[in-house]
Protein backbone atom coordinates (compact mmCIF):
# COMPACT_ATOMS: atom_id res chain seq x y z
CA UNK A 1 0.00 0.00 0.00
CA UNK A 2 1.50 3.39 -0.99
CA UNK A 3 2.07 5.91 1.78
CA UNK A 4 -0.48 8.57 2.71
CA UNK A 5 1.87 11.26 1.37
CA UNK A 6 2.14 9.52 -1.99
CA UNK A 7 -1.63 9.31 -2.09
CA UNK A 8 -1.99 13.00 -1.30
CA UNK A 9 0.30 13.75 -4.25
CA UNK A 10 -1.78 11.51 -6.44
CA UNK A 11 -4.95 13.26 -5.32
CA UNK A 12 -3.40 16.65 -6.05
CA UNK A 13 -2.46 15.45 -9.53
CA UNK A 14 -6.06 14.33 -10.07
CA UNK A 15 -7.41 17.71 -8.99
CA UNK A 16 -4.90 19.49 -11.26
CA UNK A 17 -6.05 17.40 -14.19
CA UNK A 18 -9.68 18.13 -13.36
CA UNK A 19 -8.94 21.86 -13.26
CA UNK A 20 -6.99 21.65 -16.52
CA UNK A 21 -10.07 20.21 -18.19
CA UNK A 22 -12.32 22.99 -16.91
CA UNK A 23 -12.14 25.13 -20.10
CA UNK A 24 -13.38 22.10 -22.03
CA UNK A 25 -16.37 21.70 -19.70
CA UNK A 26 -17.15 25.39 -19.89
CA UNK A 27 -17.03 25.21 -23.68
CA UNK A 28 -19.46 22.26 -23.68
CA UNK A 29 -21.82 24.19 -21.42
CA UNK A 30 -21.66 27.24 -23.70
CA UNK A 31 -22.34 25.12 -26.77
CA UNK A 32 -25.37 23.44 -25.18
CA UNK A 33 -26.64 26.81 -24.04
CA UNK A 34 -26.27 28.53 -27.40
CA UNK A 35 -27.89 25.65 -29.28
CA UNK A 36 -30.75 25.48 -26.70
CA UNK A 37 -29.95 21.81 -26.23
CA UNK A 38 -31.67 21.23 -22.90
CA UNK A 39 -31.07 17.50 -22.86
CA UNK A 40 -27.34 18.07 -23.17
CA UNK A 41 -27.44 20.94 -20.68
CA UNK A 42 -29.17 18.76 -18.09
CA UNK A 43 -26.65 15.98 -18.66
CA UNK A 44 -23.66 18.32 -18.32
CA UNK A 45 -25.09 19.90 -15.18
CA UNK A 46 -25.73 16.46 -13.69
CA UNK A 47 -22.16 15.32 -14.36
CA UNK A 48 -20.73 18.52 -12.98
CA UNK A 49 -22.85 18.14 -9.85
CA UNK A 50 -21.29 14.74 -9.20
CA UNK A 51 -17.70 15.37 -10.22
CA UNK A 52 -17.26 18.84 -8.71
CA UNK A 53 -18.43 17.51 -5.34
CA UNK A 54 -16.04 14.60 -5.66
CA UNK A 55 -13.08 16.88 -6.41
CA UNK A 56 -13.79 19.22 -3.52
CA UNK A 57 -15.79 22.04 -5.13
CA UNK A 58 -19.13 21.91 -3.29
CA UNK A 59 -20.15 25.41 -4.49
CA UNK A 60 -19.88 24.37 -8.16
CA UNK A 61 -21.71 21.16 -7.32
CA UNK A 62 -24.55 23.10 -5.68
CA UNK A 63 -24.86 25.53 -8.58
CA UNK A 64 -24.86 22.63 -11.07
CA UNK A 65 -27.58 20.93 -9.02
CA UNK A 66 -29.64 24.12 -9.16
CA UNK A 67 -29.26 24.29 -12.93
CA UNK A 68 -30.15 20.63 -13.33
CA UNK A 69 -33.29 21.16 -11.28
CA UNK A 70 -34.33 24.18 -13.34
CA UNK A 71 -33.97 22.22 -16.59
CA UNK A 72 -35.87 19.26 -15.13
CA UNK A 73 -38.68 21.55 -13.98
CA UNK A 74 -38.78 23.09 -17.45
CA UNK A 75 -38.12 26.60 -16.17
CA UNK A 76 -38.27 29.49 -18.66
CA UNK A 77 -35.28 30.08 -20.91
CA UNK A 78 -34.01 33.26 -19.29
CA UNK A 79 -33.93 31.67 -15.80
CA UNK A 80 -32.03 28.69 -17.16
CA UNK A 81 -29.74 30.96 -19.09
CA UNK A 82 -28.87 33.04 -16.01
CA UNK A 83 -28.28 29.97 -13.93
CA UNK A 84 -26.01 28.41 -16.57
CA UNK A 85 -24.00 31.63 -16.95
CA UNK A 86 -23.57 31.76 -13.21
CA UNK A 87 -22.32 28.18 -13.23
CA UNK A 88 -19.87 28.97 -16.03
CA UNK A 89 -18.59 32.03 -14.16
CA UNK A 90 -18.14 29.94 -11.03
CA UNK A 91 -16.24 27.20 -12.87
CA UNK A 92 -14.03 29.78 -14.48
CA UNK A 93 -13.35 31.63 -11.25
CA UNK A 94 -12.52 28.48 -9.26
CA UNK A 95 -10.22 27.23 -12.02
CA UNK A 96 -8.34 30.54 -12.12
CA UNK A 97 -7.99 30.55 -8.34
CA UNK A 98 -6.59 27.03 -8.32
CA UNK A 99 -4.14 27.78 -11.09
CA UNK A 100 -2.99 30.94 -9.32
CA UNK A 101 -2.55 29.04 -6.06
CA UNK A 102 -0.48 26.39 -7.80
CA UNK A 103 1.74 29.00 -9.39
CA UNK A 104 2.24 30.71 -6.03
CA UNK A 105 3.42 27.46 -4.52
CA UNK A 106 5.80 26.79 -7.43
CA UNK B 1 -6.31 -13.56 -5.80
CA UNK B 2 -6.76 -10.31 -7.65
CA UNK B 3 -10.14 -8.76 -6.96
CA UNK B 4 -11.64 -7.00 -9.96
CA UNK B 5 -13.65 -3.81 -9.74
CA UNK B 6 -15.59 -2.25 -12.58
CA UNK B 7 -16.26 1.49 -12.33
CA UNK B 8 -19.26 2.68 -14.35
CA UNK B 9 -19.96 6.41 -14.74
CA UNK B 10 -20.66 8.60 -17.75
CA UNK B 11 -18.47 11.37 -16.38
CA UNK B 12 -14.78 10.80 -17.18
CA UNK B 13 -13.65 12.94 -14.23
CA UNK B 14 -15.61 10.92 -11.67
CA UNK B 15 -14.51 7.68 -13.28
CA UNK B 16 -10.89 8.70 -13.07
CA UNK B 17 -11.22 9.65 -9.41
CA UNK B 18 -12.81 6.35 -8.35
CA UNK B 19 -10.37 4.33 -10.47
CA UNK B 20 -7.30 5.89 -8.99
CA UNK B 21 -8.53 5.35 -5.44
CA UNK B 22 -9.47 1.73 -6.15
CA UNK B 23 -6.43 0.82 -8.22
CA UNK B 24 -4.27 1.14 -5.12
CA UNK B 25 -5.73 -2.21 -4.00
CA UNK B 26 -7.60 -3.77 -6.88
CA UNK B 27 -7.61 -4.43 -10.60
CA UNK B 28 -9.86 -1.78 -12.10
CA UNK B 29 -11.61 -1.30 -15.42
CA UNK B 30 -13.95 1.48 -16.47
CA UNK B 31 -17.14 1.67 -18.51
CA UNK B 32 -18.95 4.83 -19.56
CA UNK B 33 -22.48 3.48 -19.74
CA UNK B 34 -24.88 0.64 -18.88
CA UNK B 35 -24.49 -1.31 -22.11
CA UNK B 36 -20.72 -1.15 -22.02
CA UNK B 37 -20.81 -2.24 -18.37
CA UNK B 38 -22.86 -5.35 -19.18
CA UNK B 39 -20.42 -6.27 -21.90
CA UNK B 40 -17.43 -5.88 -19.61
CA UNK B 41 -19.12 -7.92 -16.89
CA UNK B 42 -19.76 -10.74 -19.35
CA UNK B 43 -16.16 -10.89 -20.56
CA UNK B 44 -14.05 -9.67 -17.63
CA UNK B 45 -16.12 -11.04 -14.65
CA UNK B 46 -15.55 -8.32 -12.06
CA UNK B 47 -16.26 -9.12 -8.39
CA UNK B 48 -17.69 -5.71 -7.64
CA UNK B 49 -19.38 -3.12 -9.86
CA UNK B 50 -19.55 0.52 -8.70
CA UNK B 51 -22.48 1.76 -10.73
CA UNK B 52 -23.62 5.33 -11.36
CA UNK B 53 -27.42 5.71 -11.44
CA UNK B 54 -28.22 8.36 -13.99
CA UNK B 55 -26.56 7.80 -17.31
CA UNK B 56 -27.96 8.40 -20.80
CA UNK B 57 -29.34 5.42 -22.76
CA UNK B 58 -29.24 2.52 -20.26
CA UNK B 59 -29.29 3.91 -16.71
CA UNK B 60 -27.61 2.29 -13.73
CA UNK B 61 -30.70 0.67 -12.21
CA UNK B 62 -31.69 -0.94 -15.49
CA UNK B 63 -28.14 -2.23 -15.93
CA UNK B 64 -28.24 -3.54 -12.36
CA UNK B 65 -31.49 -5.40 -12.98
CA UNK B 66 -30.16 -7.10 -16.11
CA UNK B 67 -26.88 -7.85 -14.43
CA UNK B 68 -28.44 -9.45 -11.38
CA UNK B 69 -31.09 -11.43 -13.22
CA UNK B 70 -29.46 -12.88 -16.28
CA UNK B 71 -25.73 -12.62 -16.49
CA UNK B 72 -24.24 -15.14 -14.13
CA UNK B 73 -25.11 -17.69 -11.49
CA UNK B 74 -23.19 -15.61 -8.99
CA UNK B 75 -23.43 -12.04 -10.26
CA UNK B 76 -20.99 -9.37 -9.06
CA UNK B 77 -21.69 -7.28 -5.98
CA UNK B 78 -23.33 -4.06 -7.17
CA UNK B 79 -22.74 -0.83 -5.29
CA UNK B 80 -24.94 1.93 -6.62
CA UNK B 81 -23.32 5.36 -6.62
CA UNK B 82 -25.40 8.49 -6.86
CA UNK B 83 -25.69 12.10 -5.80
CA UNK B 84 -29.35 11.62 -5.00
CA UNK B 85 -30.25 10.48 -1.52
CA UNK B 86 -34.00 10.37 -1.19
CA UNK B 87 -35.58 7.28 0.29
CA UNK B 88 -37.32 6.48 -2.98
CA UNK B 89 -34.05 6.39 -4.90
CA UNK B 90 -32.62 4.11 -2.28
CA UNK B 91 -35.60 1.83 -2.35
CA UNK B 92 -35.53 1.64 -6.14
CA UNK B 93 -31.83 0.80 -6.07
CA UNK B 94 -32.37 -2.12 -3.71
CA UNK B 95 -35.41 -3.25 -5.67
CA UNK B 96 -33.33 -3.47 -8.80
CA UNK B 97 -31.02 -5.82 -6.93
CA UNK B 98 -28.24 -3.50 -5.73
CA UNK B 99 -26.29 -4.71 -2.71
CA UNK B 100 -25.20 -1.37 -1.32
CA UNK B 101 -25.43 2.35 -1.91
CA UNK B 102 -22.87 5.16 -1.75
CA UNK B 103 -23.62 8.85 -2.09
CA UNK B 104 -21.35 11.29 -3.90
CA UNK B 105 -19.08 12.87 -2.89
CA UNK B 106 -17.52 9.63 -1.73
CA UNK B 107 -14.77 9.51 0.89
CA UNK B 108 -11.96 7.31 -0.39
CA UNK B 109 -11.67 5.49 2.95
CA UNK B 110 -15.39 4.84 2.94
CA UNK B 111 -15.20 3.44 -0.57
CA UNK B 112 -12.21 1.20 0.16
CA UNK B 113 -13.53 -0.19 3.44
CA UNK B 114 -17.02 -0.87 2.11
CA UNK B 115 -15.62 -2.69 -0.93
CA UNK B 116 -13.21 -4.63 1.28
CA UNK B 117 -16.11 -5.90 3.40
CA UNK B 118 -18.20 -6.81 0.38
CA UNK B 119 -15.28 -8.77 -1.03
CA UNK B 120 -14.96 -10.66 2.26
CA UNK B 121 -18.64 -11.52 2.27
CA UNK B 122 -18.52 -12.60 -1.34
CA UNK B 123 -15.51 -14.84 -0.74
CA UNK B 124 -17.18 -16.44 2.26
CA UNK B 125 -20.41 -17.00 0.33
CA UNK B 126 -18.50 -18.52 -2.57
CA UNK B 127 -16.82 -20.93 -0.13
CA UNK B 128 -20.21 -21.96 1.20
CA UNK B 129 -21.58 -22.57 -2.26
CA UNK B 130 -18.56 -24.70 -3.18
CA UNK B 131 -18.70 -26.76 -0.02
CA UNK B 132 -22.46 -27.24 -0.25
CA UNK B 133 -21.86 -28.78 -3.67
CA UNK B 134 -19.15 -31.02 -2.23
CA UNK B 135 -21.43 -32.21 0.57
CA UNK B 136 -23.80 -33.64 -2.00
CA UNK B 137 -21.10 -36.01 -3.17
CA UNK B 138 -21.88 -38.79 -0.72
CA UNK B 139 -19.07 -40.97 -2.05
CA UNK B 140 -16.65 -38.54 -0.48
CA UNK B 141 -17.63 -38.71 3.19
CA UNK B 142 -14.27 -37.43 4.43
CA UNK B 143 -14.48 -34.27 2.39
CA UNK B 144 -18.09 -33.95 3.43
CA UNK B 145 -17.10 -33.87 7.09
CA UNK B 146 -14.46 -31.21 6.57
CA UNK B 147 -16.99 -29.44 4.46
CA UNK B 148 -19.55 -29.12 7.22
CA UNK B 149 -17.03 -27.47 9.50
CA UNK B 150 -16.04 -25.23 6.63
CA UNK B 151 -19.65 -24.15 6.07
CA UNK B 152 -20.16 -23.17 9.68
CA UNK B 153 -16.92 -21.22 9.65
CA UNK B 154 -17.70 -19.42 6.40
CA UNK B 155 -21.19 -18.60 7.55
CA UNK B 156 -19.87 -17.01 10.69
CA UNK B 157 -17.36 -14.98 8.75
CA UNK B 158 -20.10 -13.85 6.40
CA UNK B 159 -22.35 -12.98 9.32
CA UNK B 160 -19.62 -11.07 11.06
CA UNK B 161 -18.55 -9.21 7.93
CA UNK B 162 -22.16 -8.31 7.13
CA UNK B 163 -22.72 -7.07 10.64
CA UNK B 164 -19.54 -5.03 10.57
CA UNK B 165 -20.77 -3.51 7.34
CA UNK B 166 -23.86 -2.24 9.10
CA UNK B 167 -21.86 -1.14 12.10
CA UNK B 168 -19.39 0.96 10.12
CA UNK B 169 -22.30 3.27 9.42
CA UNK B 170 -23.00 3.97 13.08
CA UNK B 171 -20.78 5.43 15.76
CA UNK B 172 -20.86 2.33 17.87
CA UNK B 173 -18.42 2.22 20.71
CA UNK B 174 -20.67 0.11 22.91
CA UNK B 175 -20.38 -3.67 22.70
CA UNK B 176 -23.98 -3.61 21.59
CA UNK B 177 -24.07 -6.84 19.59
CA UNK B 178 -22.24 -8.96 22.14
CA UNK B 179 -24.53 -7.78 24.93
CA UNK B 180 -27.64 -8.43 22.85
CA UNK B 181 -26.41 -11.94 22.17
CA UNK B 182 -25.96 -12.63 25.88
CA UNK B 183 -29.35 -11.16 26.81
CA UNK B 184 -31.02 -13.32 24.19
CA UNK B 185 -29.23 -16.45 25.36
CA UNK B 186 -30.18 -15.78 28.98
CA UNK B 187 -33.77 -15.06 27.97
CA UNK B 188 -34.07 -18.34 26.06
CA UNK B 189 -32.71 -20.28 29.03
CA UNK B 190 -35.27 -18.63 31.22
CA UNK B 191 -38.05 -19.53 28.74
CA UNK B 192 -36.87 -23.16 28.90
CA UNK B 193 -36.96 -23.22 32.70
CA UNK B 194 -40.40 -21.68 32.93
CA UNK B 195 -41.87 -24.28 30.61
CA UNK B 196 -41.28 -26.78 33.49
CA UNK B 197 -39.32 -29.48 31.73
CA UNK B 198 -40.99 -29.19 28.34
CA UNK B 199 -38.06 -27.42 26.66
CA UNK B 200 -40.10 -25.47 24.07
CA UNK B 201 -36.93 -24.35 22.27
CA UNK B 202 -34.62 -26.88 20.68
CA UNK B 203 -30.86 -26.46 20.52
CA UNK B 204 -30.92 -25.74 16.82
CA UNK B 205 -33.32 -22.84 17.32
CA UNK B 206 -31.20 -21.41 20.11
CA UNK B 207 -28.00 -21.68 18.07
CA UNK B 208 -29.62 -20.14 14.99
CA UNK B 209 -31.01 -17.23 16.94
CA UNK B 210 -27.70 -16.53 18.67
CA UNK B 211 -25.95 -16.42 15.32
CA UNK B 212 -28.67 -14.23 13.85
CA UNK B 213 -28.41 -11.53 16.49
CA UNK B 214 -25.47 -9.59 14.99
CA UNK B 215 -27.44 -9.31 11.75
CA UNK B 216 -30.75 -7.98 13.05
CA UNK B 217 -30.00 -4.39 11.97
CA UNK B 218 -27.97 -5.23 8.85
CA UNK B 219 -30.55 -3.36 6.73
CA UNK B 220 -29.23 -0.12 8.18
CA UNK B 221 -26.62 -0.23 5.42
CA UNK B 222 -29.53 1.04 3.33
CA UNK B 223 -30.29 4.04 5.56
CA UNK B 224 -28.49 7.27 4.61
CA UNK B 225 -25.92 8.34 7.21
CA UNK B 226 -27.55 11.71 7.82
CA UNK B 227 -30.66 9.92 9.07
CA UNK B 228 -28.83 7.11 10.85
CA UNK B 229 -26.60 9.50 12.77
CA UNK B 230 -29.09 12.32 13.27
CA UNK B 231 -29.01 13.34 16.93
CA UNK B 232 -32.56 14.59 17.57
CA UNK B 233 -35.98 13.25 16.64
CA UNK B 234 -36.54 12.01 13.09
CA UNK B 235 -39.23 13.60 10.95
CA UNK B 236 -42.06 11.34 9.80
CA UNK B 237 -40.47 11.02 6.39
CA UNK B 238 -37.04 10.23 7.86
CA UNK B 239 -38.59 7.65 10.15
CA UNK B 240 -40.30 6.03 7.17
CA UNK B 241 -36.89 5.65 5.54
CA UNK B 242 -35.41 4.34 8.79
CA UNK B 243 -38.19 1.74 9.03
CA UNK B 244 -37.12 0.24 5.74
CA UNK B 245 -34.00 -1.21 7.39
CA UNK B 246 -36.19 -4.16 8.37
CA UNK B 247 -37.15 -5.00 4.79
CA UNK B 248 -33.75 -4.21 3.32
CA UNK B 249 -32.12 -6.46 5.91
CA UNK B 250 -34.45 -9.35 5.18
CA UNK B 251 -33.84 -8.87 1.47
CA UNK B 252 -30.05 -9.03 1.88
CA UNK B 253 -30.28 -12.11 4.11
CA UNK B 254 -32.71 -13.91 1.80
CA UNK B 255 -30.27 -13.24 -0.99
CA UNK B 256 -27.40 -14.63 1.08
CA UNK B 257 -29.46 -17.68 2.02
CA UNK B 258 -29.80 -18.58 -1.64
CA UNK B 259 -26.08 -19.31 -1.75
CA UNK B 260 -25.93 -21.46 1.34
CA UNK B 261 -26.86 -24.99 2.32
CA UNK B 262 -30.62 -25.50 2.69
CA UNK B 263 -30.66 -25.61 6.49
CA UNK B 264 -29.02 -22.29 7.13
CA UNK B 265 -29.43 -19.99 10.09
CA UNK B 266 -29.87 -17.20 7.58
CA UNK B 267 -33.58 -17.96 7.28
CA UNK B 268 -33.96 -17.22 11.00
CA UNK B 269 -31.76 -14.15 10.59
CA UNK B 270 -34.06 -12.91 7.84
CA UNK B 271 -37.17 -13.34 10.04
CA UNK B 272 -35.48 -11.48 12.88
CA UNK B 273 -34.29 -8.66 10.62
CA UNK B 274 -37.75 -8.18 9.13
CA UNK B 275 -39.93 -8.51 12.21
CA UNK B 276 -37.98 -7.39 15.28
CA UNK B 277 -39.93 -4.11 15.28
CA UNK B 278 -43.34 -5.78 15.16
CA UNK B 279 -45.50 -5.46 18.29
CA UNK B 280 -47.65 -8.05 20.04
CA UNK B 281 -50.74 -5.83 19.57
CA UNK B 282 -50.12 -5.35 15.84
CA UNK B 283 -48.94 -1.73 16.08
CA UNK B 284 -45.38 -2.41 14.88
CA UNK B 285 -43.71 -2.38 11.47
CA UNK B 286 -43.12 -3.22 8.64
CA UNK B 287 -46.07 -5.62 8.31
CA UNK B 288 -48.18 -4.94 11.40
CA UNK B 289 -48.11 -8.62 12.36
CA UNK B 290 -49.90 -9.49 15.58
CA UNK B 291 -49.41 -12.04 18.38
CA UNK B 292 -48.04 -15.43 17.50
CA UNK B 293 -47.99 -14.66 13.79
CA UNK B 294 -44.77 -12.81 14.62
CA UNK B 295 -42.01 -15.46 14.58
CA UNK B 296 -40.82 -16.32 18.11
CA UNK B 297 -37.23 -15.40 17.26
CA UNK B 298 -38.34 -11.86 16.40
CA UNK B 299 -40.47 -11.61 19.58
CA UNK B 300 -37.42 -12.51 21.65
CA UNK B 301 -35.15 -10.01 19.89
CA UNK B 302 -37.83 -7.30 20.24
CA UNK B 303 -37.56 -7.41 24.03
CA UNK B 304 -33.76 -7.51 24.32
CA UNK B 305 -33.27 -4.93 21.56
CA UNK B 306 -35.53 -2.40 23.29
CA UNK B 307 -33.88 -3.10 26.64
CA UNK B 308 -30.42 -2.61 25.15
CA UNK B 309 -31.49 0.60 23.39
CA UNK B 310 -32.98 2.09 26.55
CA UNK B 311 -29.98 1.28 28.72
CA UNK B 312 -27.47 2.66 26.19
CA UNK B 313 -26.64 6.36 25.87
CA UNK B 314 -27.78 8.04 22.66
CA UNK B 315 -26.53 11.25 21.03
CA UNK B 316 -29.53 13.15 22.39
CA UNK B 317 -30.06 11.53 25.80
CA UNK B 318 -28.39 9.66 28.65
CA UNK B 319 -28.78 5.94 29.21
CA UNK B 320 -31.86 4.93 31.22
CA UNK B 321 -31.32 3.32 34.60
CA UNK B 322 -31.88 -0.43 34.80
CA UNK B 323 -34.91 0.15 37.04
CA UNK B 324 -36.53 2.52 34.54
CA UNK B 325 -35.86 0.15 31.67
CA UNK B 326 -37.35 -2.71 33.67
CA UNK B 327 -40.44 -0.64 34.39
CA UNK B 328 -40.78 0.14 30.69
CA UNK B 329 -40.69 -3.54 29.72
CA UNK B 330 -43.22 -4.29 32.45
CA UNK B 331 -45.56 -1.50 31.36
CA UNK B 332 -45.49 -2.63 27.73
CA UNK B 333 -45.97 -6.34 28.35
CA UNK B 334 -48.90 -7.61 26.32
CA UNK B 335 -49.03 -4.48 24.14
CA UNK B 336 -45.56 -4.11 22.64
CA UNK B 337 -44.07 -7.36 23.95
CA UNK B 338 -45.17 -10.99 23.92
CA UNK B 339 -46.31 -11.51 27.55
CA UNK B 340 -44.67 -14.93 27.89
CA UNK B 341 -41.34 -13.66 26.59
CA UNK B 342 -41.46 -10.42 28.56
CA UNK B 343 -42.32 -12.29 31.78
CA UNK B 344 -39.38 -14.65 31.27
CA UNK B 345 -37.18 -11.61 30.76
CA UNK B 346 -38.42 -9.91 33.92
CA UNK B 347 -38.11 -13.12 35.95
CA UNK B 348 -34.42 -13.36 35.11
CA UNK B 349 -33.79 -9.65 35.47
CA UNK B 350 -30.89 -10.10 37.92
CA UNK B 351 -29.00 -12.07 35.31
CA UNK B 352 -29.78 -9.40 32.68
CA UNK B 353 -28.45 -6.68 34.98
CA UNK B 354 -25.30 -8.70 35.48
CA UNK B 355 -24.79 -8.98 31.71
CA UNK B 356 -25.38 -5.26 31.36
CA UNK B 357 -22.62 -4.51 33.87
CA UNK B 358 -20.28 -7.16 32.51
CA UNK B 359 -19.63 -5.35 29.23
CA UNK B 360 -17.62 -2.25 29.79
CA UNK B 361 -17.10 -0.32 26.53
CA UNK B 362 -13.40 -1.25 26.45
CA UNK B 363 -14.33 -4.92 26.10
CA UNK B 364 -16.09 -4.52 22.76
CA UNK B 365 -13.45 -6.12 20.58
CA UNK B 366 -12.81 -9.04 22.89
CA UNK B 367 -16.49 -9.80 23.12
CA UNK B 368 -17.06 -10.08 19.39
CA UNK B 369 -13.79 -11.65 18.39
CA UNK B 370 -14.13 -14.48 20.93
CA UNK B 371 -16.88 -16.05 18.91
CA UNK B 372 -15.70 -15.32 15.40
CA UNK B 373 -11.97 -15.11 15.00
CA UNK B 374 -10.98 -18.63 16.02
CA UNK B 375 -13.33 -20.03 13.40
CA UNK B 376 -12.07 -17.61 10.82
CA UNK B 377 -8.63 -19.10 11.34
CA UNK B 378 -9.98 -22.43 10.09
CA UNK B 379 -11.05 -20.84 6.80
CA UNK B 380 -7.81 -19.00 6.40
CA UNK B 381 -5.83 -22.20 6.87
CA UNK B 382 -7.71 -24.30 4.33
Amino acid sequence: MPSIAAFADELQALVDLYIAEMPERIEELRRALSSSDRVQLRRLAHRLKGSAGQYGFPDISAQAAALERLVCENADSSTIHDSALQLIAQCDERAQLCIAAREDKA
Amino acid sequence: MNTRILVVDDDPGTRRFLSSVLSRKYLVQEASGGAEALQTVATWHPDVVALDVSMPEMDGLEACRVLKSTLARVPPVVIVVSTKASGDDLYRAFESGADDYLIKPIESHDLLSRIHLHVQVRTALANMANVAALDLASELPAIGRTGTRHIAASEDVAAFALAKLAETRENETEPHLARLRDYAFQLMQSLQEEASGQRPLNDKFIANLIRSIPLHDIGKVGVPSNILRKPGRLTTREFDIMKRHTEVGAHVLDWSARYTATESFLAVASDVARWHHERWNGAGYPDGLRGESIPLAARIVAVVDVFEALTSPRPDRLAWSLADARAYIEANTGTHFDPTVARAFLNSFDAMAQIHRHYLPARADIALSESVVPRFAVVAAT
Side-chain angles (χ1 to χ4, degrees):
Chain A
M1 191 82 117
S3 70
I4 302 269
F7 186 55
D9 283 351
E10 199 183 319
L11 271 185
Q12 188 55 54
L14 280 171
V15 175
D16 288 348
L17 186 52
Y18 186 74
I19 288 296
E21 290 166 349
M22 211 45 117
E24 220 174 291
R25 281 190 204 93
I26 292 176
E27 188 46 41
E28 279 182 316
L29 280 169
R30 282 195 202 285
R31 227 178 296 138
L33 198 58
S34 64
S35 57
S36 314
D37 187 346
R38 289 200 171 191
V39 175
Q40 176 70 353
L41 196 59
R42 197 188 73 85
R43 189 173 301 161
L44 293 172
H46 180 82
R47 283 189 195 171
L48 207 45
K49 176 177 78 173
S51 67
Q54 196 63 61
Y55 281 94
F57 302 102
D59 49 344
I60 296 181
S61 177
Q63 179 61 27
L67 173 60
E68 184 191 15
R69 203 163 46 240
L70 287 174
V71 181
C72 283
E73 287 165 356
N74 235 332
D76 59 81
S77 298
S78 76
T79 311
I80 288 176
H81 205 81
D82 288 350
S83 174
L85 287 181
Q86 207 180 327
L87 176 61
I88 288 170
Q90 231 167 8
C91 288
D92 196 38
E93 190 194 341
R94 296 298 262 150
Q96 299 301 339
L97 278 175
C98 283
I99 291 167
R102 284 301 272 174
E103 279 167 359
D104 273 1
K105 242 198 261 176
Chain B
M1 188 191 69
N2 281 321
T3 302
R4 299 173 170 197
I5 317 278
L6 175 63
V7 173
V8 190
D9 199 303
D10 65 326
D11 180 68
T14 305
R15 231 158 46 218
R16 194 165 56 223
F17 185 93
L18 298 180
S19 294
S20 41
V21 170
L22 290 169
S23 56
R24 294 194 294 151
K25 273 187 75 177
Y26 305 107
L27 291 176
V28 181
Q29 281 204 16
E30 299 178 7
S32 62
E36 192 188 333
L38 293 180
Q39 215 161 32
T40 310
V41 169
T43 55
W44 191 58
H45 311 295
D47 300 280
V48 179
V49 180
L51 191 58
D52 183 33
V53 173
S54 49
M55 297 182 291
E57 283 130 41
M58 183 188 268
D59 78 9
L61 298 189
E62 177 60 28
C64 180
R65 214 167 291 125
V66 176
L67 212 152
K68 286 294 193 182
S69 59
T70 58
L71 269 177
R73 201 177 72 84
V74 182
V77 171
V78 175
I79 302 180
V80 163
V81 176
S82 168
T83 39
K84 293 176 192 160
S86 85
D88 289 342
D89 291 323
L90 219 80
Y91 194 66
R92 278 173 45 223
F94 284 113
E95 267 198 335
S96 63
D99 301 288
D100 203 350
Y101 198 100
L102 282 170
I103 291 161
K104 292 183 204 169
I106 303 166
E107 291 287 334
S108 14
H109 288 300
D110 228 6
L111 177 67
L112 286 170
S113 59
R114 296 287 277 283
I115 286 191
H116 176 69
L117 285 165
H118 277 294
V119 169
Q120 270 187 297
V121 173
R122 186 174 157 83
T123 310
L125 289 173
N127 282 344
M128 279 185 253
N130 288 340
V131 175
L134 273 181
D135 271 354
L136 291 176
S138 52
E139 65 270 39
L140 294 171
I143 294 176
R145 269 200 304 280
T146 337
T148 311
R149 202 184 67 209
H150 201 138
I151 288 179
S154 301
E155 275 191 338
D156 281 350
V157 174
F160 185 67
L162 279 166
K164 275 314 254 192
L165 196 59
E167 235 185 328
T168 55
R169 304 289 304 284
E170 274 187 285
N171 286 325
E172 283 284 3
T173 49
E174 288 273 302
H176 176 59
L177 298 176
R179 199 149 51 191
L180 269 186
R181 183 193 59 196
D182 289 7
Y183 289 145
F185 187 67
Q186 177 60 48
L187 174 49
M188 286 191 281
Q189 280 189 320
S190 153
L191 277 168
Q192 298 285 55
E193 283 158 17
E194 288 183 15
S196 51
Q198 287 182 15
R199 289 184 57 81
L201 312 175
N202 65 36
D203 291 344
K204 181 94 188 153
F205 177 88
I206 294 173
N208 282 344
L209 180 52
I210 289 302
R211 297 167 82 194
S212 299
I213 291 265
L215 298 172
H216 76 289
D217 271 343
I218 177 74
K220 285 188 176 169
V221 297
V223 179
S225 305
N226 60 331
I227 296 179
L228 203 58
R229 295 182 181 153
K230 183 175 174 182
R233 267 190 107 74
L234 298 178
T235 64
T236 313
R237 172 138 182 82
E238 287 169 340
F239 190 51
D240 283 342
I241 294 168
M242 181 63 127
K243 282 179 180 171
R244 285 186 184 151
H245 81 271
T246 53
E247 290 158 284
V248 169
H251 170 82
V252 168
L253 293 165
D254 288 341
W255 177 85
S256 306
R258 286 214 302 271
Y259 296 99
T260 64
T262 40
E263 270 198 53
S264 165
F265 80 101
L266 288 168
V268 177
S270 168
D271 283 359
V272 169
R274 187 176 184 96
W275 289 308
H276 70 281
H277 285 289
E278 296 291 356
R279 297 185 177 202
W280 184 251
N281 63 4
Y285 65 86
D287 298 311
L289 297 186
R290 181 191 299 267
E292 288 186 354
S293 62
I294 307 165
L296 177 60
R299 282 180 268 147
I300 289 171
V301 173
V303 175
V304 296
D305 191 38
V306 166
F307 181 71
E308 169 63 12
L310 292 177
T311 53
S312 301
R314 287 288 140 114
D316 57 333
R317 63 156 172 82
L318 296 172
W320 287 28
S321 72
L322 292 181
D324 286 346
R326 180 193 180 128
Y328 182 90
I329 304 279
E330 222 159 13
N332 291 282
T333 294
T335 48
H336 185 157
F337 306 116
D338 173 348
T340 311
V341 174
R343 217 170 296 123
F345 181 88
L346 294 167
N347 289 345
S348 53
F349 195 80
D350 288 346
M352 300 298 173
Q354 218 162 29
I355 293 168
H356 175 81
R357 283 189 284 263
H358 173 75
Y359 287 105
L360 298 169
R363 291 183 51 103
D365 291 339
I366 307 169
L368 268 177
S369 60
E370 266 170 4
S371 64
V372 173
V373 170
R375 293 201 184 111
F376 182 65
V378 175
V379 184
T382 45

